[in-house]
Amino acid sequence: MIMKKILPLLLLGLLVSAVWHLCADDQVTAKLLGLFPQFDADKNGVLSPQEQALAVDAVKKNYGEHWSMQVQRLLAHAATSDKSVTAESWRRQVTDFGLPPTVQTVMLAMRDGKKLATDIYLPHGDGPFPVIFSRTPYNRLGFKGSANGFTSEGIAYVAQDMRGRFASEGENFPFIGCGWGEHQDGVDTMAWIRKQPWCNGQVGTLGASAGGITQNLLAGAAPEGLKTQYIVVAAASTYSDATYTGGAFRKADTEGWLTKNKFDPHALEVIHAHPAYDDYWKQFDTRLKFPVINAPAIHIGGWFDIFTQATIDEFVGRQHSGAPGARGAQKLIMGPWTHAIGKTPAGEMTFPHANVPGQYSEARWFEHYLLGENNGIEQEPAVTYYVMGDTSAPHAPGNEWRHANDWPIPATETPYYFAPGGKLTTDSPAAKDATPVEFTFDPANPCPTIGGNNLELAHGPMNQNPIEDRGDVVLFTTAPLEKPTEVTGRIQAKVFVSSSAVDTDLSVRLCDVYPDGKSYLIAEGIRRLRYRNSYEKPEPLTPGKIEEVTVDCWSTSIIFNQGHRIRATITSSNYPHFDLNPGTGEPWSDTGPKVKQTNRIYCDTAHSSCLLLPVVTAKAATP
């Protein structure tokens, strides 16, 4: 390679910076300068358009498409009005190539007069240039490395502190200026960028986690000139994906993130004041905006990420319901990762070949959509996903990447019924009067969180044995599997339940039980029962009345190996991942009343509680 590349390094945990570093060293400079005398056939000190074309073709043959496009861009910038290139103009272009960009900081006024700190990194040369735009709550100065790499490719970079963050003015509340609400800071900045003489009108966005959420919200505002996006581990709805999953407050992550990043303490008060899905949350829900989103995008997520289902939902929504430009032009990559994309181990498991697939790098994506390179990335499969498997058996099925044209992939929704004696079986319930399984949840002694889709707590697949002998935990487990069973898609639990209280929670964990008895968490979900019918209008339970409740456990892809067992773990808490249900129908209060909640799970023919698993056939599972 005649170019030094450091492939994307995603340091995720809400503080994320994507790095793509491309620079010209002395050897590269010498090779570029050497092109001129090599193709100046008549030795007149000028490269004609025909001679330039020969040089570009030779570079493509010897060094590939990327470098031929780079040379073509350098020649275009060096060309005079008659499209010829002199030796001196070529020398200037090559000398400038790879030099650190020029940097300017402006305090950019938004529509309400508040000024946001905005760094502008410009390539050397005349321009105008396409632009990559990143907004962050974590300090815009962290984008210097990314900016240097992109500017050496002829792409300007703009990095901005969000409203109220670091050097920016305004209220220090998360995401309030990112979308289509009262403050539209992303839209205002986009409009300003496109008016600058150094911008050619084409703007892409880049970022992960909070930097991905702000991209989703910007796309929902449908700003003019948004050419493309590269989105890593991001929420689609800050209500259901980040703050109130299943109606239960994501306590550890929400409180930890707000406190650690020093947001205004009143931000948490506002969140607590809106436990239901109301107009406050709708201004941060890009699922409502799919029909106006019009940009191609890559969406990268992990099976154990805090935003697993959100990444998939954003892809599916844009791919099928987006506006022209977005519809059919999305890519989805899902790997065996936590919030730290590309890193292994995840929890207590190490998955082989778990690197981010290189063909979907941000370098290749922006080379195509911002620089116009015909590198074939738009022809890559729409979906690339990792099928997990037994990590203790070297030749077990799974632990491999697969491709698909869409999501979800074909699968059969298969009920695994809860049966008396703690059995989990594909046979329909036979007993008409099976005794329900009863347990009592005491808010003073909650079932603890062990791994899962966390940020602030230990995360990923972890052994659940320490909680499985608790009196408030109910287990339903299959017999050892006679053959490997692939489950790829969205997991749901359909549970018939009654409670002694007017409110309670159902926490469901899907586990892969290894032959040695260790029970590893694969997927999880929770449902606050006062939101069993609607997240907008809570309804108290009638004590003793049987209710049918659906618990969304998000999505996964795994092959449960032969000899393993599949387990559903049911309880009424997962603390402190989620807050506790006091059983009174009211939000938790440290000083308010709490009641014990005696809950019954029904397993008879009229109330067939089950785990719904998307089972993939052997034929469909072929890579």
Side-chain angles (χ1 to χ4, degrees), residues 31-165:
K31 286 181 180 291
L32 289 171
L33 291 173
L35 287 175
F36 196 98
Q38 182 179 351
F39 289 94
D40 183 13
D42 51 12
K43 307 302 179 185
N44 66 347
V46 175
L47 291 182
S48 68
Q50 293 78 17
E51 290 170 331
Q52 295 171 48
L54 291 173
V56 170
D57 287 343
V59 170
K60 183 175 182 179
K61 179 179 178 180
N62 290 299
Y63 300 111
E65 177 76 23
H66 174 84
W67 267 104
S68 69
M69 292 293 294
Q70 182 64 68
V71 169
Q72 191 171 22
R73 286 194 294 270
L74 290 173
L75 288 167
H77 284 301
T80 60
S81 58
D82 65 357
K83 299 191 182 305
S84 64
V85 174
T86 66
E88 177 59 23
S89 65
W90 179 246
R91 185 193 64 78
R92 287 199 303 268
Q93 286 296 321
V94 171
T95 301
D96 286 346
F97 178 66
L99 289 177
T102 59
V103 185
Q104 178 187 9
T105 299
V106 299
M107 294 300 294
L108 190 60
M110 300 292 102
R111 62 185 64 188
D112 67 342
K114 291 293 189 290
K115 296 179 179 180
L116 306 191
T118 307
D119 288 346
I120 304 157
Y121 299 81
L122 296 180
H124 292 272
D126 298 329
F129 310 103
V131 178
I132 290 176
F133 175 34
S134 294
R135 305 187 71 243
T136 181
Y138 303 122
N139 197 335
R140 73 195 189 285
L141 301 179
F143 287 98
K144 181 178 180 180
S146 297
N148 289 347
F150 285 116
T151 55
S152 66
E153 285 293 288
I155 301 174
Y157 201 103
V158 176
Q160 184 178 76
D161 287 332
M162 288 182 189
R163 175 176 291 253
R165 304 296 294 164

Side-chain angles (χ1 to χ4, degrees), residues 441-444 500-503 581-585 588 592-598:
F441 164 59
D442 181 356
S500 63
V502 296
D503 194 20
N581 194 322
T584 62
W588 176 268
K594 293 96 180 171
V595 298
K596 293 182 180 180
Q597 301 142 44
T598 298

Side-chain angles (χ1 to χ4, degrees), residues 409-432:
I409 67 166
T412 301
E413 187 176 73
T414 304
Y416 279 70
Y417 295 102
F418 302 170
K423 295 179 180 178
L424 188 64
T425 174
T426 54
D427 296 330
S428 299
K432 293 184 178 180

Side-chain angles (χ1 to χ4, degrees), residues 236-255:
S237 162
T238 57
Y239 177 79
S240 60
D241 300 328
T243 312
Y244 284 99
T245 302
F249 176 57
R250 290 182 73 164
K251 177 180 174 64
D253 288 348
T254 303
E255 292 179 351

Side-chain angles (χ1 to χ4, degrees), residues 244 247 272 275-276 441 443 499-505 528-532 534 536-543 579-589 592-597 599:
Y244 284 99
H272 283 315
F441 164 59
S499 180
S500 63
V502 296
D503 194 20
T504 192
D505 290 349
R528 185 142 292 173
L529 296 200
R530 69 175 180 268
Y531 296 112
R532 65 195 179 281
S534 169
E536 298 185 47
K537 297 179 180 179
E539 303 172 42
L541 296 170
T542 299
D579 71 335
L580 300 176
N581 194 322
T584 62
E586 299 296 327
W588 176 268
S589 167
K594 293 96 180 171
V595 298
K596 293 182 180 180
Q597 301 142 44
N599 300 327

Side-chain angles (χ1 to χ4, degrees), residues 315 331-333 360 381-385 402-407:
F315 164 80
K331 305 292 184 187
L332 173 67
I333 297 92
Y360 296 102
V383 177
T384 293
Y385 64 102
R402 294 185 184 163
H403 307 288
N405 294 323
D406 203 355
W407 193 269

Side-chain angles (χ1 to χ4, degrees), residues 367-436:
E367 283 167 0
H368 174 69
Y369 281 104
L370 292 184
L371 296 176
E373 292 193 17
N374 185 22
N375 58 20
I377 192 167
E378 76 279 16
Q379 303 302 322
E380 297 288 353
V383 177
T384 293
Y385 64 102
Y386 189 97
V387 185
M388 299 178 289
D390 186 336
T391 59
S392 67
H395 302 293
N399 294 324
E400 62 188 9
W401 289 99
R402 294 185 184 163
H403 307 288
N405 294 323
D406 203 355
W407 193 269
I409 67 166
T412 301
E413 187 176 73
T414 304
Y416 279 70
Y417 295 102
F418 302 170
K423 295 179 180 178
L424 188 64
T425 174
T426 54
D427 296 330
S428 299
K432 293 184 178 180
D433 300 312
T435 302

